Amino acid sequence: MAEAAYAKGLEGVVAAESEICRIDGEKGKLYYVGYSIEDLARHSNFEETTYLLLYGRLPSREEMEGFSGRMRSSRDLVPEILDMVRNFPRDAHPMELLQSVISYLSGYVRHKIQHSATCNCRDTLHQVVQLASVVAAWHRFHQDREYVPPRLDLSHGANFLYMIRGEEPDEYEGRVMDACLVLHAEHGFNASTFTARVVASTMSTCYSSISAAIGSLYGSLHGGANEKVMAMVEQIGGSDRAAQWVNRALDEKQKVMGMGHRVYKAKDPRAIIMEEFLLELSRRKNDTRYYDILKEVERAFRERMEEKGKPIYPNVDFFSGAVYNLLGIPKVLFTPIFAMSRVSGWLAHILEQRRDNRIYRPKSLYVGSAPREWTALEHR
Amino acid sequence: MAEAAYAKGLEGVVAAESEICRIDGEKGKLYYVGYSIEDLARHSNFEETTYLLLYGRLPSREEMEGFSGRMRSSRDLVPEILDMVRNFPRDAHPMELLQSVISYLSGYVRHKIQHSATCNCRDTLHQVVQLASVVAAWHRFHQDREYVPPRLDLSHGANFLYMIRGEEPDEYEGRVMDACLVLHAEHGFNASTFTARVVASTMSTCYSSISAAIGSLYGSLHGGANEKVMAMVEQIGGSDRAAQWVNRALDEKQKVMGMGHRVYKAKDPRAIIMEEFLLELSRRKNDTRYYDILKEVERAFRERMEEKGKPIYPNVDFFSGAVYNLLGIPKVLFTPIFAMSRVSGWLAHILEQRRDNRIYRPKSLYVGSAPREWTALEHR
């Protein structure tokens, strides 16, 4: 095709106004509805952050109790959905299962079908909560173990670890898992969030819209970076080999995963928090191997970049894979966990889209064949 | 929110180049890859049209035989998917089931997961063909009847009627059903096709992308118009009451469904073909009631519009519902049938997107709160 006379991938094109997320890439700052990611990671939890995203303000104690109760009571899976999870072919990726379950689930939840702008999508929270239960159930079945029904006294993150392990995680692990969900809950427009809004703009249901967004996140250009970082760390094997590995990769013009970010010119603020979690978890578990490798990769990378006068910093994916690894989570679950978290942001964007909706219907430029005559099969 | 300083809904924004579909709205012409919809409806069939859309040219006899064989051998459903269809709550809409099945199906098909631009998506055609089988199975279970396994000697349209009824349709019915699928297979950019391309642009699978597109089509602003036309026809009840109904509707500024089209300023060429099918089917079945009502609605509507000097013509949805009704298909299946057909266009767009890809990542304009201080729960 000819050189594009339009913005390919809609790059630089404004698609909507939004009140949800502010990213200050120059200063390395991220805000959800005005609150800094540092404050949210330190003081909030995934349930409260979800409330903030869906309602645009922090809840009172009473509101928080009601909302948390609704989230927790939505955790358990119906038998038909457990069957879907159990029957999903073992060698297939759980992201397509997750995408499938969320639209299927719609039929099981007493919710108003959202063919209108007004909605009760914040009242029934299965579409947010059950992603974690499905991911945990898939993991258990994949390990030839039984489904662990949810506990209602644990935070969203701690309960996820409980459903994965069948044992209650210690308090710090639960807090880290929950904070990781806070860190990934929202990040402005990106392909999956945009997908959720495009589907929502037809006045389809939030289940349909979230399912579609999961499909986008599955794409290798979108999710999956932290999986690749962990694969790199495993390949390097030890911190003494990290510098050599980085130098060879850069000499061969290979991409070093987890470095740099399209939006952040300064350090990704989530990476700073994630690094703290990784260091503390590594100390508590007496296993700093991954931390040491990553820090050595970062150092060697920075050294090379400084020669070029081009500072590039680690992003959140650089540290998150190692954190999940120390929490006992296999790589195949990293992108599903991203979905478990980002679903809160997706739902916030779906609700915002509905409040001031116009269906997304861009144009295309026809560059194909001129009209041509029909040829019968026997003359081809 | 303030008046938009950008194109809301991306209206008028070019999102991509495309070689697939040309619509000449002024002249009322529609072409798939250069071939007119009249030629396709008259000479082609759904399988050949699908080949045309996926390969960008008409097949030779040998290519057609191979392709048709691959399509037909992909018709039957595995037991796990039949269970999903059977277990789907009776009062839920089949569109969310359809969306769910297509991503689930991915795990069952031996296909390369498409995290790259090269692909074998034209070799395994379950993602195109099984929509018809799922819709038919859902209908059978919904009627408390058994699943009818597909016949491989029938066209795609005739086999669908067979799987719905458990009896072979007559030759003309099969031909009309198949031609209806041809008529709806492609229509350029629209919200569902755009959704398919956005998801595909992340290098997700064609199953994920098609599933997402089904979610968009479910939205009441996108699919569903022919359902509403049939509801109108049933409400009018007889052709002698049509003029009065139209006049009252227009006096009350109600929308008359199936009239006018965003793109076509002349007659929608598909409507002309669909009207012929409706007339012929009505004659053969000795039942011209719906045809008579529709023609009277059209006449009364035109009379009113001529007073205003504003010609507005019926679109394809105006006649298609009545055609499906005469074929024994209930209203709830109209939008799922739209998906069964449009899936060919979606897959064509997915393949085209991958050939010259850039991930869709538009910007948003932040209009929310300035950074604000954290407030502890006890002070809210």
Side-chain angles (χ1 to χ4, degrees):
Chain A
M1 292 184 189
E3 193 49 42
Y6 58 94
K8 255 183 92 172
L10 296 169
E11 195 177 332
V13 173
V14 173
E17 294 180 345
S18 180
E19 301 185 346
I20 300 168
C21 184
R22 183 175 163 222
I23 303 167
D24 184 339
E26 295 298 327
K27 292 193 186 143
K29 297 291 286 175
L30 168 63
Y31 305 89
Y32 297 173
V33 202
Y35 295 100
S36 77
I37 195 67
E38 292 82 4
D39 277 345
L40 291 164
R42 191 176 302 122
H43 302 300
S44 189
N45 56 55
F46 184 67
E47 289 175 348
E48 188 183 55
T49 298
T50 299
Y51 187 101
L52 172 66
L53 290 167
L54 301 190
Y55 289 86
R57 59 177 180 78
L58 289 171
S60 70
R61 182 184 298 274
E62 202 184 344
E63 289 166 334
M64 191 59 232
E65 278 167 8
F67 188 76
S68 171
R70 266 142 61 210
M71 277 187 78
R72 294 182 187 203
S73 64
S74 304
R75 283 179 182 169
D76 207 3
L77 302 174
V78 295
E80 292 83 357
I81 291 199
L82 279 173
D83 282 345
M84 275 177 71
V85 178
R86 199 180 280 111
N87 291 338
F88 196 61
R90 287 182 70 90
D91 55 351
H93 197 282
M95 281 299 274
E96 284 180 305
L97 171 67
L98 210 51
Q99 178 176 10
S100 174
V101 165
I102 293 308
S103 46
Y104 195 81
L105 180 60
S106 182
Y108 282 89
V109 181
R110 286 219 194 114
H111 67 110
K112 284 189 216 131
I113 299 290
Q114 282 322 322
H115 289 309
S116 72
T118 57
C119 84
N120 70 339
C121 289
R122 299 182 297 198
D123 298 336
T124 55
L125 293 161
H126 297 73
Q127 78 281 43
V128 172
V129 174
Q130 295 221 331
L131 272 75
S133 307
V134 171
V135 174
W138 181 85
H139 176 70
R140 297 288 295 182
F141 294 144
H142 207 249
Q143 308 259 313
D144 293 317
R145 297 165 85 180
E146 281 305 299
Y147 168 65
V148 177
R151 285 243 316 250
L152 303 194
D153 59 325
L154 299 174
S155 75
H156 197 64
N159 175 62
F160 173 67
L161 289 179
Y162 169 72
M163 289 179 77
I164 288 251
R165 302 177 181 177
E167 282 169 24
E168 189 176 337
D170 75 33
E171 195 267 340
Y172 185 73
E173 288 181 317
R175 197 141 54 83
V176 167
M177 186 69 234
D178 202 70
C180 287
L181 299 179
V182 170
L183 289 181
H184 290 90
E186 167 56 18
H187 209 250
F189 267 41
N190 48 66
S192 60
T193 301
F194 182 52
T195 301
R197 291 187 76 128
V198 170
V199 176
S201 82
T202 70
M203 290 293 161
S204 194
T205 68
C206 69
Y207 291 82
S208 275
S209 309
I210 290 167
S211 169
I214 295 170
S216 266
L217 190 60
Y218 183 36
S220 56
L221 295 183
H222 192 351
N226 51 1
E227 253 185 275
K228 288 177 195 149
V229 171
M230 269 313 287
M232 173 185 82
V233 166
E234 286 165 2
Q235 201 198 332
I236 293 172
S239 59
D240 54 330
R241 278 175 288 178
Q244 193 194 353
W245 191 95
V246 167
N247 285 320
R248 193 168 53 206
L250 291 176
D251 290 342
E252 292 172 358
K253 310 235 178 279
Q254 278 178 44
K255 202 170 145 66
V256 175
M257 295 308 300
M259 282 292 169
H261 194 284
R262 195 175 57 91
V263 178
Y264 295 109
K265 304 307 162 204
K267 256 190 162 175
D268 177 344
R270 301 166 302 173
I272 297 169
I273 301 165
M274 199 60 94
E275 182 183 338
E276 289 170 18
F277 290 151
L278 177 59
L279 179 59
E280 181 61 23
L281 261 182
S282 301
R283 281 189 185 137
R284 285 170 184 248
K285 293 191 180 281
N286 250 326
D287 178 3
T288 62
R289 196 163 59 99
Y290 292 144
Y291 178 79
D292 293 341
I293 293 174
L294 285 168
K295 290 305 285 180
E296 189 58 17
V297 168
E298 183 185 357
R299 194 199 55 73
F301 189 87
R302 190 174 50 238
E303 216 170 86
R304 286 286 293 261
M305 289 301 119
E306 274 170 0
E307 289 167 16
K308 296 192 191 175
K310 215 167 78 174
I312 295 182
Y313 306 101
N315 60 45
V316 66
D317 298 316
F318 190 72
F319 296 108
S320 64
V323 167
Y324 295 152
N325 183 288
L326 286 176
L327 292 173
I329 299 169
K331 283 202 293 292
V332 68
L333 297 190
F334 292 1
T335 306
I337 288 172
F338 192 173
M340 271 167 52
S341 161
R342 184 59 54 86
V343 65
S344 296
W346 292 332
L347 186 52
H349 280 276
I350 291 165
L351 297 172
E352 185 176 73
Q353 180 66 38
R354 287 182 183 156
R355 280 199 293 276
D356 184 31
N357 188 55
R358 184 164 317 162
I359 189 170
Y360 283 103
R361 209 154 39 183
K363 292 197 304 179
S364 63
L365 204 62
Y366 184 67
V367 294
S369 162
R372 40 184 165 171
E373 290 295 314
W374 182 259
T375 326
L377 186 61
E378 50 274 24
H379 298 121
R380 288 178 208 153
Chain B
M1 295 186 187
E3 192 52 40
Y6 59 93
K8 252 181 93 172
L10 295 169
E11 195 177 331
V13 173
V14 173
E17 294 180 347
S18 181
E19 301 185 347
I20 300 169
C21 184
R22 185 176 162 222
I23 303 167
D24 183 340
E26 294 299 325
K27 293 192 186 142
K29 297 291 286 175
L30 167 64
Y31 305 89
Y32 297 173
V33 202
Y35 295 100
S36 77
I37 194 66
E38 292 83 3
D39 277 345
L40 291 163
R42 191 175 304 121
H43 302 301
S44 190
N45 57 56
F46 184 67
E47 289 176 348
E48 188 184 55
T49 297
T50 299
Y51 188 101
L52 173 66
L53 290 168
L54 301 190
Y55 289 86
R57 59 176 179 79
L58 290 172
S60 69
R61 183 185 298 274
E62 203 184 342
E63 288 166 335
M64 191 59 232
E65 278 167 8
F67 188 76
S68 171
R70 266 140 62 208
M71 277 188 77
R72 294 182 187 202
S73 63
S74 304
R75 284 179 183 169
D76 206 5
L77 302 173
V78 296
E80 292 82 357
I81 291 199
L82 278 173
D83 283 344
M84 275 177 71
V85 178
R86 200 181 280 110
N87 291 338
F88 196 61
R90 287 182 70 90
D91 54 352
H93 197 281
M95 281 299 275
E96 284 180 304
L97 171 67
L98 210 52
Q99 178 177 10
S100 174
V101 165
I102 293 308
S103 46
Y104 194 80
L105 179 60
S106 183
Y108 282 90
V109 180
R110 283 216 197 116
H111 67 111
K112 285 188 216 130
I113 299 290
Q114 283 321 324
H115 288 311
S116 72
T118 57
C119 84
N120 69 340
C121 289
R122 297 181 298 198
D123 299 336
T124 55
L125 293 161
H126 297 72
Q127 78 281 42
V128 172
V129 175
Q130 296 221 331
L131 272 74
S133 307
V134 171
V135 173
W138 181 85
H139 176 70
R140 296 287 297 181
F141 294 144
H142 207 250
Q143 308 260 312
D144 292 317
R145 298 166 85 179
E146 281 305 300
Y147 169 63
V148 177
R151 285 246 312 252
L152 303 193
D153 59 325
L154 298 174
S155 75
H156 197 64
N159 174 62
F160 173 68
L161 290 180
Y162 169 72
M163 289 179 76
I164 287 249
R165 301 178 182 177
E167 280 169 25
E168 189 176 338
D170 75 33
E171 195 268 339
Y172 185 73
E173 288 181 317
R175 198 141 54 84
V176 166
M177 186 68 234
D178 202 69
C180 286
L181 299 179
V182 169
L183 289 180
H184 290 90
E186 168 56 20
H187 210 249
F189 268 41
N190 49 66
S192 60
T193 301
F194 182 52
T195 301
R197 291 188 76 128
V198 169
V199 176
S201 82
T202 70
M203 289 293 159
S204 194
T205 68
C206 68
Y207 292 82
S208 276
S209 309
I210 290 168
S211 169
I214 295 170
S216 266
L217 189 60
Y218 183 36
S220 56
L221 295 183
H222 192 350
N226 52 1
E227 253 185 275
K228 288 178 197 149
V229 171
M230 268 314 287
M232 173 185 82
V233 166
E234 286 165 0
Q235 202 198 329
I236 293 173
S239 59
D240 53 329
R241 276 174 288 177
Q244 192 194 355
W245 192 95
V246 168
N247 285 321
R248 192 168 54 207
L250 291 176
D251 290 343
E252 291 171 0
K253 310 236 177 282
Q254 278 178 42
K255 203 170 145 62
V256 176
M257 294 308 299
M259 281 293 169
H261 193 284
R262 194 174 57 91
V263 178
Y264 294 109
K265 304 307 160 202
K267 254 190 164 176
D268 177 343
R270 301 166 301 174
I272 298 169
I273 301 166
M274 200 61 95
E275 182 183 337
E276 289 170 18
F277 291 152
L278 177 59
L279 179 59
E280 180 61 23
L281 262 181
S282 302
R283 281 190 185 139
R284 286 171 182 246
K285 293 191 180 284
N286 251 327
D287 179 3
T288 62
R289 196 163 59 100
Y290 293 143
Y291 178 80
D292 294 341
I293 293 174
L294 286 168
K295 290 305 286 182
E296 188 58 19
V297 169
E298 184 185 356
R299 195 200 54 73
F301 189 86
R302 189 175 51 237
E303 214 170 87
R304 287 285 295 258
M305 289 302 119
E306 274 169 2
E307 289 167 17
K308 295 192 190 175
K310 215 169 76 174
I312 295 182
Y313 306 100
N315 59 46
V316 66
D317 298 316
F318 189 71
F319 295 108
S320 63
V323 167
Y324 296 152
N325 183 288
L326 285 176
L327 292 173
I329 298 169
K331 282 203 293 292
V332 68
L333 298 190
F334 291 2
T335 306
I337 288 173
F338 192 173
M340 272 167 51
S341 162
R342 183 59 55 86
V343 65
S344 296
W346 291 333
L347 186 53
H349 280 275
I350 291 165
L351 297 173
E352 185 176 72
Q353 180 66 36
R354 286 181 184 159
R355 278 199 294 276
D356 184 31
N357 187 54
R358 185 165 313 163
I359 189 170
Y360 284 102
R361 209 155 37 185
K363 293 197 302 181
S364 63
L365 203 62
Y366 184 67
V367 293
S369 161
R372 41 184 166 173
E373 291 295 314
W374 182 260
T375 326
L377 187 61
E378 51 272 25
H379 298 120
R380 289 179 206 154

